[in-house]
Amino acid sequence: MPSKKSKKKLTSKKIEVNKENQATPKTAKIVLFVFGVGPLILMSLFLFSNGFFNSP
């Protein structure tokens, strides 16, 4: 009998861990913004500072 109880406890712990690790839409949007738009802004600032967009 104790083995059945321990199995139930293990499965409930796994479910709780999975729920904690799920990404919410808010965090997903933040991650997409930082890794998607962030590098584009940094590259454009770098190119502007080096005069890449100035006409010769």
Side-chain angles (χ1 to χ4, degrees):
M1 290 292 181
S3 63
K4 289 183 181 180
K5 289 181 181 178
S6 64
K7 285 182 183 179
K8 287 182 181 179
K9 287 181 183 177
L10 289 174
T11 54
S12 64
K13 287 181 183 177
K14 288 180 184 178
I15 293 171
E16 288 173 5
V17 171
N18 288 338
K19 287 181 181 179
E20 290 175 359
N21 290 338
Q22 287 179 348
T24 60
K26 186 177 179 180
T27 56
K29 288 178 184 179
I30 292 171
V31 169
L32 286 174
F33 181 77
V34 169
F35 291 104
V37 179
L40 293 175
I41 293 171
L42 291 175
M43 283 189 289
S44 62
L45 288 174
F46 176 77
L47 292 173
F48 272 117
S49 67
N50 286 338
F52 183 79
F53 295 107
N54 294 338
S55 59

